Amino acid sequence: MMYQLLWTILLLLTGKRRFQIRPHKIRKDSWGDGSFDSSRTHGAHEGIDIETSPGQTLYAPYNMYVERQNWPYKGDWYFTGMDVVPQGRGLGTKARYFYVAPFEEILGTNVAMGTPIGIAQDISQKYSNEMIPHVHVEHWKDGESIDPTNIYI
C-alpha cells in the first residue's frame, strides 16, 4: 500500500513519467525513424514519434493550456490531435500532438500535469500494420521547432 502511494506521488511530481507512454520509446520501424530531425520526403522530422498502445489514456506531461483540436491530414477527419501552450521553463511556446483524440472538456482550458487529456489513436490504420502506433509530438519556440526528446524520453 505504501509503495503504491509513493509511486502515485512520484508520477504526479514527474510529468515525464505521467504521460503514460510505454516505456517512453521513440518509434523505429520499416516506415522510418521517429526521432527529431530524422529524414522525411518533405524535409526533416519536426517532432518525435512516441510509441503508444491504441486506446490508451494519455495524461498531461506538464501544465498546459489546450488551445484547440487539430487534424493532421487535410480532408481526413478521423485522425486528430491538439495544439497546446506549455506552461513551464524549457518547453517552448507551443506544442502539437497528433494521433490523439482529445477529451472535449479540456479544449480551451488550462490543464494540470497528470490530467487525462485524450486517447491514443492507431495511426497504423492509415499506413499499414508495419507502422508502430505512436503519438507525434512537436514543440516550437518563437516559430522554430525545438527537439522535445528530453521532455518525454
Side-chain angles (χ1 to χ4, degrees):
M1 178 74 104
M2 184 63 153
Y3 176 77
Q4 287 178 328
L5 177 62
L6 291 173
W7 183 247
T8 300
I9 292 169
L10 177 66
L11 288 176
L12 289 172
L13 293 175
T14 60
K16 291 181 189 179
R17 305 300 173 236
R18 193 64 177 137
F19 200 56
Q20 294 284 333
I21 295 178
R22 70 177 153 106
H24 305 283
K25 186 176 175 188
I26 295 204
R27 176 188 67 85
K28 288 186 178 149
D29 54 34
S30 62
W31 281 83
D33 182 342
S35 299
F36 182 78
D37 211 27
S38 60
S39 180
R40 294 288 186 271
T41 55
H42 61 275
H45 193 224
E46 295 181 322
I48 59 173
D49 296 341
I50 306 171
E51 291 184 13
T52 60
S53 296
Q56 83 180 81
T57 300
L58 302 176
Y59 297 83
Y62 44 76
N63 295 335
M64 62 175 68
Y65 174 75
V66 182
E67 286 185 316
R68 67 181 188 94
Q69 185 170 1
N70 66 41
W71 291 268
Y73 302 105
K74 188 176 183 171
D76 184 342
W77 301 107
Y78 177 76
F79 292 101
T80 61
M82 63 186 120
D83 293 344
V84 307
V85 177
Q87 297 170 348
R89 181 178 234 146
L91 299 173
T93 53
K94 185 171 195 120
R96 302 190 91 188
Y97 295 88
F98 295 152
Y99 322 132
V100 176
F103 295 131
E104 242 179 80
E105 61 271 14
I106 68 162
L107 300 174
T109 68
N110 286 305
V111 174
M113 179 178 68
T115 302
I117 57 175
I119 301 294
Q121 296 177 312
D122 187 359
I123 191 61
S124 69
Q125 292 178 355
K126 184 165 183 75
Y127 293 99
S128 85
N129 60 5
E130 293 176 11
M131 180 176 279
I132 296 171
H134 62 275
V135 171
H136 173 83
V137 182
E138 299 175 0
H139 278 248
W140 299 80
K141 183 173 182 177
D142 302 323
E144 297 286 324
S145 63
I146 60 173
D147 184 354
T149 303
N150 290 334
I151 297 169
Y152 301 93
I153 306 299

